[in-house]
Amino acid sequence: DPKIIQKPKYLVAVTGSEKILICEQYLGHNAMYWYRQSAKKPLEFMFSYSYQKLMDNQTASSRFQPQSSKKNHLDLQITALKPDDSATYFCASSHHRGANSDYTFGSGTRLLVI
Amino acid sequence: SQWGEENLQALSIQEGEDVTMNCSYKTYTTVVHWYRQDSGRGPALIILIRSNEREKRSGRLRATLDTSSQSSSLSITAAQCEDTAVYFCATDAKAGNYKYVFGAGTRLKVIA
């Protein structure tokens, strides 16, 4: 059974629209993260949450808004979508926020903005 | 070797060969994580090596960490076709930082 569930797996959106990427983890972890992976680029850190509180935001654009309705949920709302937003978005979690924790990644949501 | 904005590297080897992938980092780190990513899937942690460890083994995998040269390596012994994947290193950007910085990765292909 997948420990981190990301939905949907694939998403096609029209420029200017808004989408929400879903992430749920069933590992009992206290920290959750969002990463983005664009073609031929390294994984890029976006956000970290700890106990449902935003701890760090590395995303310059306010169009990206994480939402945590429950401790094991961290959704990502993206507004006014642009073609440059096309990427695979990975959710991850760890027991505690910090470098010494083991990270577990979801399988990603592949977003294509046309 | 891989780091930051470097392009994804590619390696192709024969089954049974040994391979080493390198990673260098720019600032002090307390830990280096090595991940593998299979096509269409998220990264999976395979080895975590801390700054007080010089070497860590897990099955056919061996990671080293040299804090003086700010580099780490991942070796696979007797590579098998199922080792085909992209391998990344990741470190915290500065001491105690939780913001991981990932290397560009090495795309390893093991040919039968």
Side-chain angles (χ1 to χ4, degrees):
Chain A
D1 290 335
K3 302 292 196 310
I4 298 185
I5 297 173
Q6 287 191 246
K7 293 184 284 191
K9 191 171 177 62
Y10 300 99
L11 186 57
V12 179
V14 175
T15 296
S17 67
E18 171 182 316
K19 293 294 180 185
I20 294 180
L21 312 184
I22 306 294
C23 177
E24 305 170 11
Q25 56 92 2
Y26 296 93
L27 294 159
H29 286 169
N30 300 307
M32 296 185 71
Y33 314 85
W34 277 102
Y35 283 81
R36 172 169 50 196
Q37 187 174 44
S38 303
K40 298 182 181 180
K41 288 187 177 180
L43 274 161
E44 176 189 4
F45 172 86
M46 298 179 72
F47 300 99
S48 72
Y49 266 65
S50 181
Y51 294 94
Q52 291 189 264
K53 289 180 64 176
L54 176 66
M55 303 305 292
D56 189 75
N57 178 356
Q58 282 287 90
T59 304
S61 173
S62 60
R63 297 185 299 107
F64 294 84
Q65 291 292 327
Q67 301 169 344
S68 181
S69 59
K70 297 180 187 178
K71 181 184 166 187
N72 68 327
H73 282 228
L74 185 63
D75 301 335
L76 181 64
Q77 179 185 41
I78 314 175
T79 57
L81 278 160
K82 302 177 180 180
D84 279 351
D85 297 331
S86 297
T88 300
Y89 291 81
F90 289 102
C91 176
S93 70
S94 63
H95 195 68
H96 293 296
R97 172 173 155 266
N100 281 298
S101 279
D102 290 5
Y103 275 44
T104 301
F105 281 79
S107 56
T109 292
R110 189 170 292 183
L111 172 66
L112 176 63
V113 183
I114 57 175
Chain B
S1 62
Q2 56 172 293
W3 183 252
E5 297 301 312
E6 290 179 15
N7 292 330
L8 178 69
Q9 299 190 356
L11 276 176
S12 187
I13 62 172
Q14 295 290 324
E15 199 170 33
E17 291 183 352
D18 298 342
V19 63
T20 297
M21 291 163 276
N22 297 301
C23 170
S24 58
Y25 51 93
K26 296 178 182 177
T27 59
Y28 171 82
T29 188
T30 59
V31 64
V32 174
H33 289 203
W34 282 94
Y35 290 85
R36 67 171 281 168
Q37 185 175 22
D38 294 291
S39 181
R41 305 190 69 169
L45 180 69
I46 51 176
I47 282 191
L48 182 160
I49 183 166
R50 296 185 169 84
S51 57
N52 62 349
E53 299 173 308
R54 292 188 61 82
E55 179 181 293
K56 192 86 167 278
R57 291 179 183 267
S58 176
R60 294 182 296 106
L61 304 177
R62 173 177 171 261
T64 65
L65 178 58
D66 185 342
T67 54
S68 62
S69 63
Q70 295 186 320
S71 64
S72 177
S73 70
L74 176 70
S75 298
I76 304 176
T77 303
Q80 300 171 6
C81 290
E82 50 264 37
D83 295 325
T84 294
V86 177
Y87 292 84
F88 299 94
C89 65
T91 70
D92 47 348
K94 56 185 177 182
N97 196 295
Y98 50 84
K99 289 179 268 188
Y100 274 126
V101 179
F102 280 80
T106 299
R107 187 182 300 278
L108 176 68
K109 185 173 183 180
V110 183
I111 304 167

